[in-house]
Amino acid sequence: MSDTTHTGPVLAADGTPLKRSLRRALRAQKLRALALIAPLLLFVLLTFIAPIADMLFRSVENQITGKTLPMTVEELRDWDGTGTPDERVYRALFFDLFFAAEGKEHTKLGSRLNYEESGISSMFRTTGRDVDDMGKVYQKAFKKLNPAFDEGAFWYEMMSGGQGAEGNTKLLSNQIGRLEMLETTTFKGEIGFVPGAEIYKILPNTTRAYTAFAAFTFFMKNDVVAEEDPWEAVYPALALDLAEPATVAALADYQGPGAQELRDAAAQIDTLPPVDMKAAFAESNKDWLRTEYWQVIKAYSPPYTTGYFLNAIDMEKTPNGIALRSEDERIYGILFKRTMFMSMVITFSCIALGYPIAWIMANLPARSANLLMILVLLPFWTSLLVRTSAWKIMLQQQGVINDVLVWLGLVADESRLVMINNQFGTIVAMTHILLPFMILPMYSVMQTIPQTYLRAAKSLGANNWTAFWRVYFPQSVPGIGAGSILVFILAIGYYITPEIVGGTTGTFISNRIAYHISSSLNWGLGAALGSILLAVVMVLYYAYDKIVGIDNVKLG
Amino acid sequence: MKLTKTLLATTALTVVAGTAVTAQDMADSMTLVSWGGAYQASQNKAYVDPYLANNAGVSATWDESSAEAVAKLRAMNEAGNVTWDLVDVVASDAMRLCDEGLAMELDHDEDLAAAPDGTSASDDFGDLIVSDCFVPQIVYSTTFGYRTDLVPAGVEPPTSVCDVFDLAKYPGKRSLQKRPIDNMEWALYCDGVAKEDIYPTLGTDAGVEKALAKLDTIKDQVVWWSAGAETPQLLADGEVFMGSTYNGRLFSAIAEQGQPIAMMWDMQSFDLDGWIVPAGLPADRLARVMDFLKFATDTQRLADQAAYISYGPARASSAPLVGKHADLGIDMAPHMPTDPANASNVHIYDYEWWADNRDDLDAKFQAWLVQ
């Protein structure tokens, strides 16, 4: 024993410190245990934690704007938020929206932004139908100048720079990347087209638009690029490029395919309709000139947003910063408070009703206790919907309770009590439904309290109340704690019972979450509300641990 | 053909668990999604059972998820595993699904049967094709029913939607759907706004306030429903004096169950219900479902459906073929929402307008409800 007080480390038989050797032995054991629970751990992680994390992540995720309108977002960065953005933004918008509309992705962005400002959805939808026509104007004009501009083969030759020309693979991978981003997939394979490096320097917009077309044609339509006529967006791009004086100068020395046609077209550029995308968008839908819509697009262009969370606490983003919503739109604060309040009332009702039952069950002989147990569990085994509907029949104005009261003469026929479609109905039905969750943990804790303690207290002179309050009750608190946590946490997430019997004053926050998940499809807001609810539960759990101590909770 | 069949038969005999491949390379099972209840039963009797009888070896499974179809299809699409083949949805959901690229665009003339007189499908359905992805089946309406025995003595039974707002003349509770759609329009109409001005008015903040103020006058007498079966039940129990619901539900309470309820068709709100095909189905399942869709939406099949439920067939050519109720033997035409006598004053629900304003108005409506 004396060498254990030695200052040096305790050594094992083989000379290594005992601590390390013990740890090594335990590590192997732990690893074996971990390997045994690994399948379960993986299962829980994959099927439970990961989907929940993914869903909660949606409460801040907002990549859709940058994904659908990448160039517009870039150009909007310099906009000061007053009036309307300048022509550059509308040009970027045209190419973005054209691309998105071909992939049918633009309406998703419209629905997303419509959550923030009504009307944006239809603006995207109507203009998505018109972008083809905006390009067709220039397609026709170029065709009139020279029919060659309407031929797929001519375009392919011109844009690739002809056989053996130096290609710009960076532009190509850029445009494929953009398509991948829009469609959220990855594409592999040679598309059979590489934009020419020289032509890209002269006609940057046109080459970019054509490359986007090529990538889309190959990956989305499974067509051969060289055989397809380019889509309408390349024509406004060409008109834009040819209108630049620098292009005209560069074209003079250009010898690649289509050089003569391009020079001729540049010479007659004045005969083409001028490119005014702002006017074209305004003509398609005048809402494109509304400052507040552009403010929303700008405010919701970063890939992550606090917008959903602000919304979930009745606030909103305005040009002047974050502000409370107007009074007639505030709803979540009321619902959170109501959910907390009603869940507490339900928990206390469950304690009040469940405690005597658990006590009787714990003190009866086993046979009678089992019978009582079955009575407690019987409703537990009945469908939740059936029990909730049964309460409807009991509580409604033409229902059983009111009928009995009227028959007894306690209530006049004209003034039957309103006991359903309000808070009262929800509290009654939910107390009934959650009662077993309170009784069971209480019962299993009370069973372990020896009856001799009560007798001993009484023999020492305590009266019934003192014996109960000072001796029995403190020992049953862990059961109450476990039951309360169970009931409270189940109650704040309850959805179906408040939906059926809650009317307007007895609904919970979970009803709104369900609405946003399945009806309005605003999953981001639903996720934000869910995250807040989860956080509240965790805070309450922490508080409970601090005040009562979680070690005092016993489920059996 | 014969050889293939013999071969198949032998294979089937030898390989017990072998799956038969139909000659046309079509899948031999379909998952159809609908609303359950009497409506799904009418679909079953009118075209699913006949189709299965004509195509031995094919089976159909129902999934009663139409109410959450958009959310579920979106989730299936994100998971990359669409298990549904044909989905019954209301028109506004079909538009949303089409917008989001979750439903397949159809060529109505090519994919659907022409009318018996040769009219093309797109002309036969006419304006009811509200979306490229949508094949309308029925026209239904949200309208009011009232308890005939609870009409106060000496007072005429209600004939106008504005009687819903007249608590002095018709005391008692009313049931309304827990959403702004229809209720806001009825409120404005009864507040003296002309029918053509309803949507422009509702587009302004003052208009929304006006509608909510009108609803405020009956708020404490309203039971709000969210499932179509609630109003018939509330009426049958005598819990409410009058309430809105789908006309087919009221028909079955009145004609099939003999409840003391009567219809009030004034300002009924028309809506459409029909099929969409989810986007991205594998070729064999797509071939099967398109074959079924062509059969199930032809003129005779849509007319047959009307023998089981009082919803108007969406094809113009089906209307003259609508006959008697399959079990009760009563004429179905007078119970259709589209019957001229019932449709003298209707409310045309504006899909586009609601698609834009739904989020905003819903927030205001729900906030009004909880306050």
Side-chain angles (χ1 to χ4, degrees), chain A residues 389-519:
Chain A
S389 308
W391 274 112
K392 222 172 168 171
I393 295 166
M394 293 291 288
L395 296 174
Q396 65 185 3
Q397 280 191 289
Q398 307 292 324
V400 178
I401 293 177
N402 264 311
D403 280 350
V404 170
L405 290 177
V406 169
W407 180 71
L408 288 173
L410 292 172
V411 168
D413 201 10
E414 306 80 50
S415 54
R416 286 168 174 256
L417 302 176
V418 182
M419 294 185 289
I420 199 126
N421 297 322
N422 54 20
Q423 288 199 357
F424 182 79
T426 307
I427 290 171
V428 169
M430 281 185 57
T431 301
H432 170 237
I433 284 162
L434 295 175
L435 201 51
F437 293 100
M438 183 65 87
I439 294 177
L440 293 178
M442 277 187 185
Y443 169 63
S444 55
V445 167
M446 286 181 187
Q447 254 190 329
T448 63
I449 304 173
Q451 297 197 354
T452 45
Y453 287 7
L454 266 186
R455 266 181 256 142
K458 281 184 200 167
S459 75
L460 289 172
N463 61 18
N464 280 345
W465 171 250
T466 318
F468 166 75
W469 186 244
R470 301 281 300 276
V471 176
Y472 193 87
F473 183 77
Q475 296 186 78
S476 66
V477 163
I480 300 179
S484 302
I485 290 189
L486 217 57
V487 168
F488 185 80
I489 289 177
L490 280 175
I492 60 172
Y494 237 63
Y495 140 76
I496 194 77
T497 306
E499 182 70 30
I500 295 175
V501 301
T504 58
T505 56
T507 47
F508 281 19
I509 191 73
S510 39
N511 296 89
R512 287 309 285 169
I513 297 178
Y515 170 81
H516 285 304
I517 297 296
S518 69
S519 191

Side-chain angles (χ1 to χ4, degrees), chain A residues 165-215:
Chain A
E166 189 196 339
N168 186 338
T169 47
K170 198 170 155 227
L171 176 67
L172 180 65
S173 57
N174 260 342
Q175 292 304 309
I176 295 177
R178 209 176 133 209
L179 186 64
E180 286 176 333
M181 191 166 72
L182 187 72
E183 298 288 337
T184 17
T185 46
T186 47
F187 293 114
K188 284 208 171 66
E190 284 294 317
I191 71 164
F193 168 77
V194 179
E198 193 185 1
I199 194 77
Y200 178 58
K201 277 189 200 123
I202 304 170
L203 306 172
N205 286 315
T206 317
T207 317
R208 191 181 333 107
Y210 187 86
T211 311
F213 153 77

Side-chain angles (χ1 to χ4, degrees), chain A residues 3 8-21:
Chain A
D3 45 38
V10 185
L11 298 182
D14 60 353
T16 53
L18 183 61
K19 230 181 186 173
R20 198 191 301 163
S21 140

Side-chain angles (χ1 to χ4, degrees), chain A residues 211-491:
Chain A
T211 311
F213 153 77
F216 192 89
T217 306
F218 180 78
F219 289 116
M220 301 302 292
K221 296 195 168 159
N222 299 320
D223 286 328
V224 180
V225 180
E227 292 169 4
E228 295 301 311
D229 293 343
W231 61 25
E232 291 85 350
V234 300
Y235 295 98
L238 185 59
L240 276 176
D241 282 336
L242 291 182
E244 292 289 329
T247 312
V248 181
L251 271 179
D253 303 329
Y254 179 59
Q255 294 303 328
Q260 194 51 49
E261 286 87 345
L262 287 172
R263 272 194 285 273
D264 290 349
Q268 301 179 61
I269 193 72
D270 295 339
T271 64
L272 287 171
V275 179
D276 187 353
M277 282 300 168
K278 195 172 186 168
F281 272 96
E283 196 190 326
S284 166
N285 192 326
K286 61 180 184 342
D287 286 345
W288 285 110
L289 298 180
R290 283 178 67 163
T291 311
E292 57 268 46
Y293 284 7
W294 279 106
Q295 283 166 345
V296 168
I297 295 175
K298 191 179 156 110
Y300 286 91
S301 54
Y304 298 98
T305 178
T306 52
Y308 291 123
F309 273 103
L310 289 176
N311 216 329
I313 51 170
D314 291 331
M315 299 178 99
E316 64 187 338
K317 280 186 189 178
T318 64
N320 312 320
I322 293 160
L324 260 181
R325 281 182 175 269
S326 63
E327 193 127 9
D328 63 347
E329 288 181 352
R330 282 180 222 164
I331 170 169
Y332 301 112
I334 300 174
L335 283 177
F336 271 118
K337 273 185 241 156
R338 179 192 289 168
T339 306
M340 290 299 136
F341 169 74
M342 286 176 67
S343 300
M344 278 185 198
V345 172
I346 290 161
T347 310
F348 284 118
S349 324
C350 281
I351 296 174
L353 292 175
Y355 197 89
I357 300 173
W359 189 82
I360 291 173
M361 274 174 29
N363 287 293
L364 278 180
R367 256 168 64 123
S368 336
N370 280 343
L371 187 72
L372 261 184
M373 186 65 139
I374 290 172
L375 287 181
V376 168
L377 288 179
L378 204 59
F380 193 50
W381 295 330
T382 316
S383 152
L384 176 68
L385 272 175
V386 172
R387 277 183 288 163
T388 308
S389 308
W391 274 112
K392 222 172 168 171
I393 295 166
M394 293 291 288
L395 296 174
Q396 65 185 3
Q397 280 191 289
Q398 307 292 324
V400 178
I401 293 177
N402 264 311
D403 280 350
V404 170
L405 290 177
V406 169
W407 180 71
L408 288 173
L410 292 172
V411 168
D413 201 10
E414 306 80 50
S415 54
R416 286 168 174 256
L417 302 176
V418 182
M419 294 185 289
I420 199 126
N421 297 322
N422 54 20
Q423 288 199 357
F424 182 79
T426 307
I427 290 171
V428 169
M430 281 185 57
T431 301
H432 170 237
I433 284 162
L434 295 175
L435 201 51
F437 293 100
M438 183 65 87
I439 294 177
L440 293 178
M442 277 187 185
Y443 169 63
S444 55
V445 167
M446 286 181 187
Q447 254 190 329
T448 63
I449 304 173
Q451 297 197 354
T452 45
Y453 287 7
L454 266 186
R455 266 181 256 142
K458 281 184 200 167
S459 75
L460 289 172
N463 61 18
N464 280 345
W465 171 250
T466 318
F468 166 75
W469 186 244
R470 301 281 300 276
V471 176
Y472 193 87
F473 183 77
Q475 296 186 78
S476 66
V477 163
I480 300 179
S484 302
I485 290 189
L486 217 57
V487 168
F488 185 80
I489 289 177
L490 280 175

Side-chain angles (χ1 to χ4, degrees), chain B residues 116-168:
Chain B
D117 63 359
T119 312
S120 70
S122 55
D123 287 339
D124 204 12
F125 284 109
D127 293 340
L128 303 189
I129 301 176
V130 292
S131 155
D132 291 337
C133 305
F134 184 60
V135 186
Q137 292 170 86
I138 54 144
V139 178
Y140 71 96
S141 80
T142 306
T143 189
F144 283 90
Y146 62 93
R147 284 280 293 223
T148 48
D149 55 343
L150 294 180
V151 178
V155 179
E156 288 287 301
T159 51
S160 152
V161 70
C162 296
D163 292 339
V164 173
F165 296 90
D166 192 345
L167 285 172

Side-chain angles (χ1 to χ4, degrees), chain A residues 54 58 104-105 107-108 111 114-115 117-123 125-126 129 325-331 334-335 338 392-393 396-399 418 420-421 498-500 502-505 507 512 515-523, chain B residues 67-72 74-75 77-78 93 95-96 98-102 105 173 178 180 205 208-209 212 219 222-224 226 230 233-234 237-239 352 354-371:
Chain A
D54 175 64
R58 287 166 199 264
K104 290 195 177 306
E105 297 289 328
T107 48
K108 285 186 194 168
S111 317
N114 204 64
Y115 295 138
E117 188 78 49
S118 282
I120 297 190
S121 170
S122 74
M123 183 172 86
R125 207 175 322 116
T126 53
R129 283 196 287 262
R325 281 182 175 269
S326 63
E327 193 127 9
D328 63 347
E329 288 181 352
R330 282 180 222 164
I331 170 169
I334 300 174
L335 283 177
R338 179 192 289 168
K392 222 172 168 171
I393 295 166
Q396 65 185 3
Q397 280 191 289
Q398 307 292 324
V418 182
I420 199 126
N421 297 322
E499 182 70 30
I500 295 175
T504 58
T505 56
T507 47
R512 287 309 285 169
Y515 170 81
H516 285 304
I517 297 296
S518 69
S519 191
S520 81
L521 298 186
N522 192 348
W523 287 4
Chain B
E68 307 95 47
V70 186
K72 287 200 172 178
R74 201 198 241 190
N77 188 273
E78 286 191 9
D93 281 347
M95 293 164 95
R96 284 207 279 177
C98 211
D99 274 355
E100 295 211 4
L102 296 171
E105 282 187 21
K173 294 212 165 191
K178 204 193 252 180
D205 284 344
V208 174
E209 263 168 45
L212 291 177
K219 190 178 179 185
V222 176
V223 177
W224 300 96
S226 40
E230 288 179 56
Q233 186 60 48
L234 290 166
D237 288 349
E239 275 290 296
E352 284 274 314
W354 275 110
D356 272 348
N357 296 283
R358 187 185 154 128
D359 299 316
D360 193 28
L361 244 72
D362 193 76
K364 287 179 179 153
F365 182 77
Q366 296 294 341
W368 172 79
L369 269 187
V370 301
Q371 273 158 11

